[in-house]
Amino acid sequence: GDCVLDERLGCTILGGDAITETLAAHLRPRRVVFLTNVDGVFTKPPHMPGAHLVQEVQVDPHGGWRVIRTSGGDEVHNLEFDCSEHDVTGGLETKMKSAVAIAAGGVEVFVARAGSAHALNAMRDDHSTDWWGTWIRPPPQTCAGSISPGVPQPKKSHMSLELSTQVN
């Protein structure tokens, strides 16, 4: 994150996750890809025994979410995050909150290891069954019959946002 002037707080730290969340809300890309130094979001810090990659998360229309699939096949109700002392922006917990907010807005979110083939595939919209990372799915689309005729629906752009961060 970077120090920025703020009318309400005076000076604060603005992280890339918050910037990406704001950009996604305004630009409406098809997907956002967060690049990190780990394979994605884990059930607990990846260096801890028993940590499993969270492969799929489903977001509901109200911003709630649930883990659908992990690399360990275990049922997960909570994720455990840690944050390095030098990370003032909140680490992976903040990234997950931003990712859920982005997905609640109808945008797919992927979290993958920077420089990996999986990260490149996420940016190319190729997350086949052997894709390795975290896919945060937006709420299921409303059925077509429930959209009011004549009410313009927001258009999604054909761009992909990517952000690289490091998780320690």
Side-chain angles (χ1 to χ4, degrees), residues 21 24-25 59 63 65 95-107 109 136:
E21 188 177 334
V59 174
W65 56 272
K95 185 176 308 311
M96 184 65 180
K97 287 178 182 176
S98 289
V100 166
I102 292 166
V107 177
V109 179
I136 303 168

Side-chain angles (χ1 to χ4, degrees), residues 42-122:
F42 284 79
T43 55
K44 57 176 94 174
H47 63 276
M48 294 180 67
H52 296 288
L53 178 68
V54 174
Q55 294 176 293
E56 191 173 345
V57 172
Q58 177 67 61
V59 174
D60 69 38
H62 308 291
W65 56 272
R66 66 185 175 95
V67 173
I68 301 292
R69 188 167 40 101
T70 69
S71 61
D74 44 346
E75 189 172 319
V76 177
H77 299 287
N78 294 308
L79 301 179
E80 186 179 323
F81 299 103
D82 69 353
C83 185
S84 300
E85 290 179 12
H86 68 275
D87 188 346
V88 296
T89 60
L92 196 56
E93 184 173 6
T94 302
K95 185 176 308 311
M96 184 65 180
K97 287 178 182 176
S98 289
V100 166
I102 292 166
V107 177
E108 285 185 305
V109 179
F110 298 90
V111 183
R113 182 182 295 269
S116 70
H118 302 291
L120 185 59
N121 287 344

Side-chain angles (χ1 to χ4, degrees), residues 107-146:
V107 177
E108 285 185 305
V109 179
F110 298 90
V111 183
R113 182 182 295 269
S116 70
H118 302 291
L120 185 59
N121 287 344
M123 288 183 267
R124 291 180 177 161
D125 198 23
D126 175 17
H127 48 94
S128 56
T129 55
D130 66 341
W131 189 79
W132 193 250
T134 302
W135 176 27
I136 303 168
R137 295 180 5 202
Q141 295 296 319
T142 310
C143 63
S146 66

